[in-house]
């Protein structure tokens, strides 16, 4: 008797081996390359709160006003493809009910356009492609992928510098769990502005190069661990004017202890985080584990079948029943 190998057992063995090779490939090669920041982003985040705002018509600070901050991010696909980085154009407007709805964002209480360029995988700033301002730190608008339980250097565009955000555990946003980070900014001089002297307690001077100061009552950010997407953002900006060299604020331009994501913005952020983190988990965990288990089972079954084979009788050589060889024909 001899053994033969069936095609079916070879197919099982080959498929199992393929899946065993595919499993680590998905986890260690495909998944890291899937975790990249998009270049065709087009998203809007809206913050709302209440606070004091300088009324240019009344020439005084008015308390208790509703404040709406709108931040739109659009990717420059052409520049992104040329540079190999993610090039995002960002516009931030600050409005009160008086300036909403605005036909032109320049009519807002404050309008700030800028450009952020980052490495698509690490989210680190890249200084090219007309970046403005010169952004630094580890995170801005979003955190890197695979957020860690540690402090991060977050870019504050109003401050023009980074702020340390410290990890504070986990928190839920619309039922979805993320990592919580907090930080604050002490009063810091950020620039100068030419204003009437009466605004900074110098009525005898028609124009004064006043100092601009900025502080933040506190940042609260809740972030999706897998993607680094911000699920909830809260900020407490305070912008004031001081006379040159003065130690105290003379005029308040904006002051709010809490301006935060609206419910609609939170829900959209959570929806996108669930989708994107689910895709990363599928490629990085679910498929590799499934492929590994299936590959192990198929390879084992195929190997056993190949080893056992199928027994077949050996073909007898031409002979008579008695075993006497038949005579051959000779010439």
């Amino acid at each position: 008797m001899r053994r033969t190998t069936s095609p079916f057992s070879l197919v099982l063995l080959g498929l199992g081996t393929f899946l065993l090779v595919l499993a680590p490939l998905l986890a260690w090669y495909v998944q890291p390359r899937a975790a990249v920041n998009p270049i065709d982003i087009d998203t809007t985040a809206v913050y709302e709160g209440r606070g004091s705002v300088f009324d240019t018509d009344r020439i005084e600070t008015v308390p208790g006003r509703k404040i709406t901050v709108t931040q739109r991010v659009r990717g420059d696909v052409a520049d992104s493809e040329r540079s190999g980085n993610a090039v995002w154009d960002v516009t931030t407007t600050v409005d009160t009910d008086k300036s909403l709805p605005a036909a032109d964002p320049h009519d807002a209480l404050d309008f700030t356009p800028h450009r952020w360029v980052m490495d698509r995988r690490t989210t680190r700033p890249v200084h090219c492609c007309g970046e403005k301002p010169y952004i630094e730190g580890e995170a801005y608008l979003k955190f890197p992928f695979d957020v860690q339980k540690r402090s991060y250097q977050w870019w504050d565009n109003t401050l023009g510098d980074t702020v340390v955000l410290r990890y504070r555990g986990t928190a839920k946003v619309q039922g979805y769990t993320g990592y919580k980070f907090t930080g604050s900014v002490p009063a810091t001089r950020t620039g100068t502005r030419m204003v009437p002297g009466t605004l900074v307690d110098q009525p005898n001077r028609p124009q004064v190069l006043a100092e601009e100061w900025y502080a933040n009552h506190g940042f609260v950010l809740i972030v999706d661990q897998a993607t680094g997407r911000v699920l909830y953002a809260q900020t407490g900006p305070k912008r004031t004017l001081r006379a040159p060299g003065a130690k105290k604020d003379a005029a308040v331009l904006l002051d709010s202890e809490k301006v935060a994501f609206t419910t609609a913005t939170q829900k959209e952020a959570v929806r996108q985080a669930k989708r994107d983190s689910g895709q990363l988990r599928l490629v990085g965990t679910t498929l590799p584990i499934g492929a590994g288990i299936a590959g192990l089972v198929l390879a084992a079954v195929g190997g056993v079948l190949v080893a056992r084979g199928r027994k077949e009788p050996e073909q007898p050589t031409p002979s008579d029943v008695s075993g006497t060889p038949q005579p051959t024909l000779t010439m």
Side-chain angles (χ1 to χ4, degrees), residues 7-17 295 298-299 301-303 305:
F8 179 68
S9 62
L10 292 176
V11 169
L12 287 181
L13 181 59
L15 182 58
T17 303
L298 292 176
V301 173
L305 292 178

Side-chain angles (χ1 to χ4, degrees):
M1 302 291 285
R2 64 187 181 89
R3 297 180 184 273
T4 61
T5 302
S6 69
F8 179 68
S9 62
L10 292 176
V11 169
L12 287 181
L13 181 59
L15 182 58
T17 303
F18 170 75
L19 291 176
L20 287 174
V21 173
L22 179 64
L25 190 66
L26 287 170
W28 300 333
Y29 183 83
V30 177
Q31 194 271 349
R33 283 157 180 78
V36 294
N37 292 301
I39 62 175
D40 58 348
I41 187 172
D42 188 348
T43 184
T44 301
V46 180
Y47 302 67
E48 288 183 350
R50 305 195 73 86
S52 300
V53 178
F54 188 82
D55 190 317
T56 54
D57 293 333
R58 296 167 58 174
I59 317 297
E60 64 179 358
T61 301
V62 180
R65 289 290 183 89
K66 181 181 177 181
I67 299 169
T68 301
V69 179
T70 305
Q71 190 173 66
R72 184 169 188 183
V73 183
R74 301 185 69 179
D76 188 321
V77 175
D79 279 1
S80 297
E81 290 178 341
R82 278 193 293 267
S83 67
N85 303 300
V87 182
W88 292 1
D89 290 316
V90 186
T91 58
T92 304
T93 58
V94 181
D95 290 279
T96 62
D97 287 341
K98 181 179 177 180
S99 59
L100 283 176
D104 188 332
H106 293 82
D107 297 333
L109 181 68
D110 186 69
F111 171 73
T112 309
H114 53 287
R115 168 169 283 202
W116 182 31
V117 185
M118 79 190 98
D119 184 283
R120 296 190 65 192
R121 292 189 174 86
T122 67
T123 315
R124 288 277 187 173
V126 177
H127 308 299
C128 74
C129 315
E131 172 211 25
K132 184 179 181 180
Y134 189 94
I135 294 175
E136 298 179 294
E138 299 173 280
Y140 174 52
L141 302 182
K142 74 176 295 292
F143 278 61
F145 293 92
D146 189 24
V147 181
Q148 303 298 304
K149 298 178 180 180
R150 63 173 179 84
S151 297
Y152 281 84
Q153 293 287 336
W154 174 267
W155 175 260
D156 183 338
N157 203 55
T158 304
L159 178 65
D161 202 350
T162 58
V163 178
V164 177
L165 296 185
R166 292 178 171 81
Y167 175 73
R168 301 297 187 187
T170 61
K172 287 186 179 293
V173 179
Q174 303 297 322
Y176 187 80
T177 302
Y179 285 3
K180 182 178 180 180
F181 296 86
T182 64
S184 61
V185 178
T188 306
R189 178 178 169 177
T190 56
T192 57
R193 178 188 299 193
M194 190 66 71
V195 300
T198 54
L199 285 182
V200 289
D201 301 327
Q202 295 190 0
N204 297 327
R205 300 177 62 183
Q207 296 288 321
V208 174
L209 189 63
E211 298 176 358
E212 291 185 305
W213 285 70
Y214 164 73
N216 200 296
H217 297 290
F219 293 98
V220 178
L221 298 176
I222 301 175
V223 183
D224 179 45
Q225 189 277 330
T227 64
R229 179 181 294 277
V230 176
L231 309 172
Y232 174 85
Q234 174 184 317
T235 181
K238 182 178 182 180
R239 297 171 58 190
T240 61
L241 294 176
R242 296 184 185 183
K247 301 298 182 181
K248 295 183 179 180
D249 298 329
V252 175
L253 302 178
L254 175 68
D255 187 11
S256 175
E257 292 191 359
K258 179 183 177 181
V259 181
F261 271 5
T262 62
T263 300
T265 297
Q266 294 175 39
K267 288 182 177 179
E268 178 61 16
V270 168
R271 183 191 70 80
Q272 294 186 26
K274 286 182 177 179
R275 180 198 64 194
D276 296 343
S277 61
Q279 292 174 351
L280 291 177
R281 185 166 55 251
L282 179 67
V283 175
T285 304
T286 306
L287 286 180
I289 291 176
I293 294 174
L296 187 63
V297 172
L298 292 176
V301 173
V304 170
L305 292 178
V306 169
R308 291 176 60 183
R310 183 177 61 189
K311 295 182 179 180
E312 292 184 354
E314 295 185 4
Q315 296 296 327
T317 58
S319 62
D320 58 15
V321 178
S322 62
T324 304
Q326 297 293 323
T328 57
L329 180 63
T330 60
M331 297 294 293

